[in-house]
Amino acid sequence: MPLFPARVNELTRRAVVAIIGAPIALGIIWLGGAPLATFAGALSGVAAWEYYRMAREGGTTPMSTVGVVLSALIPLAVHAQHLGVFALPLVVWILVPLFVLAISIWTRGVDGKPLGAASTTIFGALYTGGTLSYVYALRYFGYAVGDTAGALVVIMPIVLTWASDTGAYFTGRFVGGPKLMPSVSPAKTIAGAIGAVVTTVATCAAFVHYLLRPYAQLAFSPTGLIVFAVCVSVVAQIGDLTESLLKREAGMKDSGALFPGHGGVLDRLDSLFFVLPVTYALYYALLLPAPGS
């Protein structure tokens, strides 16, 4: 008989990974620049590999090598553009899909479902590298002046995503009630979804008051804060459900095993794929300067 229940061992593994990984991630976000772009590119490449693995299990035939390379290059391209090394013209976003489709002529042929292969390859790169590149765009968001402000602007949506997930877990566990979407994720409840939103709003208010306003001189109006937090929580939950849907289609429990007790990169970052680009748009609509705070 094991000394500790399996659930305790799983929580222990999760805690160890979080204790080691969180300071590393925060340090890289603080540094920004090439370290952040490289880190985002590496995570994007691994996430893309996991996505294409699930796609193959689901019956499609993505061009994994091409997709992984494209995914990993997107954050690096954003970094290069930020430095002024080069600017990506709009035509590139047209030529790359055409290039991938052309490759399918030789790599897939008529019997290899070339349209599905090309579509899955392109979408996988955008779903992973395209969305994770926004961690770099947020780090150098136009309203954030200095390293502290830039880091806080990135950290806030990450913290709110964690708060949403935590609120959903504990509310759903202790309240229970009707299921949110049992065909996709049997454990999630409507009460958990509401608890996630409430927890996210409270966490957002605390983060803005104690960190964002005094150290980044940025804030939201009272209404803007609520709108921002609710949108982040809802989008985070949609991102979580989306990955659950993909795993169900593939018949997989986890996307990978990179993080003990946590699964793969897709399992850990599923919500952030949605939250990061939405946060970028919401900042421009709702974030306000708060000088002298």
Side-chain angles (χ1 to χ4, degrees):
M1 181 176 180
L3 182 61
F4 297 105
R7 180 62 181 169
V8 174
N9 289 333
E10 180 184 346
L11 291 175
T12 301
R13 290 195 299 270
R14 289 191 174 206
V16 170
V17 171
I19 290 171
I20 296 173
I24 295 174
L26 291 175
I28 293 173
I29 290 171
W30 174 270
L31 288 173
L36 180 59
T38 303
F39 182 61
L43 287 178
S44 297
V46 176
W49 180 84
E50 292 176 354
Y51 170 84
Y52 296 131
R53 175 170 166 259
M54 287 197 301
R56 288 194 301 273
E57 292 293 327
T60 58
T61 57
M63 293 170 279
S64 302
T65 302
V66 175
V68 167
V69 171
L70 285 176
S71 179
L73 285 178
I74 292 175
L76 298 176
V78 172
H79 173 55
Q81 186 159 340
H82 175 73
L83 295 179
V85 175
F86 64 84
L88 287 176
L90 181 61
V91 70
V92 170
W93 300 104
I94 303 298
L95 292 178
V96 169
L98 293 177
F99 171 73
V100 174
L101 186 58
I103 290 178
S104 69
I105 297 173
W106 292 277
T107 60
R108 291 297 178 266
V110 176
D111 298 328
K113 300 180 179 180
L115 182 58
S119 301
T120 306
T121 301
I122 294 166
F123 177 77
L126 294 176
Y127 175 58
T128 54
T131 57
L132 284 184
S133 66
Y134 276 90
V135 74
Y136 190 95
L138 288 169
R139 176 61 176 80
Y140 294 98
F141 187 74
Y143 296 173
V145 179
D147 291 336
T148 299
L152 287 173
V153 162
V154 178
I155 292 169
M156 184 162 75
I158 297 174
V159 169
L160 296 188
T161 300
W162 172 81
S164 178
D165 184 57
T166 303
Y169 175 79
F170 284 105
T171 306
R173 185 179 180 87
F174 290 109
V175 176
K179 300 298 182 180
L180 178 65
M181 197 173 289
S183 62
V184 176
S185 185
K188 290 180 172 57
T189 64
I190 294 175
I194 296 172
V197 172
V198 173
T199 304
T200 306
V201 172
T203 304
C204 185
F207 193 98
V208 171
H209 180 75
Y210 291 107
L211 292 173
L212 195 68
R213 182 182 289 271
Y215 295 105
Q217 296 189 352
L218 295 169
F220 297 92
S221 69
T223 302
L225 187 148
I226 294 172
V227 170
F228 177 78
V230 170
C231 287
V232 167
S233 180
V234 170
V235 168
Q237 294 181 66
I238 292 173
D240 190 3
L241 288 170
T242 298
E243 205 239 345
S244 295
L245 183 66
L246 295 176
K247 288 191 293 187
R248 280 196 167 274
E249 180 181 353
M252 298 169 61
K253 181 179 182 295
D254 294 318
S255 65
L258 182 63
F259 305 113
H262 289 263
V265 173
L266 285 179
D267 294 316
R268 289 299 87 209
L269 303 183
D270 51 6
S271 296
L272 286 176
F273 292 144
F274 282 65
V275 167
L276 292 175
V278 170
T279 294
Y280 188 81
L282 290 173
Y283 275 165
Y284 273 114
L286 300 172
L287 197 61
L288 301 171
S293 299

